[in-house]
Amino acid sequence: NLVGVLLRLNNNGTLPIEQLISFNNSRAEITGIGRSFDNLINANGSQFLITNVVVNLGSVTTMTHGSVTLSSGGTANLNQLQNIDSASFYISGGVTLSLPSVTSYTHTSNANSQYRYFRAQGSGSRIEMPNLTSITNGTFYNSNIVAEALSGGVINLNAVTEISDPNSGDVRYRAVSITADGVNSRVELANLVN
C-alpha cells in the first residue's frame, strides 16, 4: 500500500505494481509501455497521467478526490470503478474513457473554491458514463462541477435525470456548468429532467 508517493513509470526499470491494493493521495505518471495494476482497488486522492500507453486499472472500485488524464492515445480500463465522488477526468487524443459502473457523482467538497472537471477535448475524445443518473454539487463556497466537451469531444451523460446544487452550506458562486464548444462537441443529456 502506498500513500503520498510519486510513481514515474516509463520504459526503464520495473516495479511490482501488480501487488498494490491501495494507492492513495499519490500520483502515477505512466508512459513508454503499458502497465497493469491487477490488484489495485482503492485509489482515493490519486492522480493518473497516462500518455500514449494502455493501463489496466480494471480492479479499481473507488477513486474519490482523484483524477485521470488520458493524452496522446493513452487509455485506461476502469470498468469496475464505482465511486468517483469529487474526481476529475481529462480526456484528449481521440480516445474513450468508459465508466460503466458509476451511477452517481457528488462533489464532496471539503474546502472553498474547489473545481471538478469532466473534460473531453478533441475529435474522437469521449467520456462515457452510460449509467450515471445524478450529479450533485458541493456545499462549500465556490464549489464547481464543470462538464466540457471541446473541439469535437463528447461526454455521454444520457442516463442523468437530475443535476442539483444543494440548498445548504455556502451557496455563493457555486455552479454546475455544462459546455459544448466547437464543431461536433456534445454533452449528451437525453434524459435530464431536473
Side-chain angles (χ1 to χ4, degrees):
N1 298 341
L2 297 178
V3 178
V5 171
L6 169 60
L7 287 179
R8 285 199 177 108
L9 303 171
N10 53 34
N11 285 327
N12 302 315
T14 59
L15 285 171
I17 58 172
E18 64 279 352
Q19 67 193 30
L20 285 177
I21 296 171
S22 181
F23 183 68
N24 293 326
N25 301 317
S26 296
R27 179 179 172 105
E29 300 173 359
I30 306 168
T31 61
I33 59 173
R35 303 289 176 157
S36 188
F37 293 78
D38 294 332
N39 295 302
L40 183 62
I41 296 170
N42 182 341
N44 288 331
S46 289
Q47 301 172 331
F48 290 86
L49 287 80
I50 299 167
T51 305
N52 199 31
V53 294
V54 176
V55 176
N56 179 23
L57 295 163
S59 297
V60 174
T61 60
T62 181
M63 191 184 289
T64 62
H65 294 270
S67 69
V68 174
T69 301
L70 302 180
S71 62
S72 300
T75 62
N77 171 6
L78 284 162
N79 288 341
Q80 299 303 313
L81 182 57
Q82 298 171 13
N83 188 349
I84 61 167
D85 287 349
S86 281
S88 291
F89 301 94
Y90 307 93
I91 311 307
S92 63
V95 299
T96 297
L97 175 66
S98 183
L99 302 171
S101 299
V102 173
T103 58
S104 66
Y105 181 90
T106 300
H107 183 353
T108 53
S109 55
N110 53 20
N112 295 335
S113 301
Q114 292 182 339
Y115 282 65
R116 299 295 181 254
Y117 290 88
F118 302 156
R119 180 183 295 152
Q121 184 166 12
S123 179
S125 300
R126 299 181 66 93
I127 298 175
E128 295 282 344
M129 292 189 268
N131 298 304
L132 178 68
T133 60
S134 65
I135 298 173
T136 306
N137 199 15
T139 58
F140 279 76
Y141 170 87
N142 198 26
S143 294
N144 280 264
I145 298 172
V146 180
E148 298 178 318
L150 308 172
S151 304
V154 176
I155 302 175
N156 175 0
L157 302 175
N158 279 321
V160 171
T161 58
E162 181 176 31
I163 297 175
S164 63
D165 187 23
N167 191 17
S168 60
D170 189 337
V171 299
R172 295 174 299 153
Y173 295 99
R174 292 191 337 215
V176 178
S177 303
I178 310 291
T179 301
D181 187 12
V183 175
N184 296 321
S185 299
R186 296 191 315 276
V187 178
E188 299 173 343
L189 288 160
N191 290 296
L192 183 64
V193 177
N194 295 317

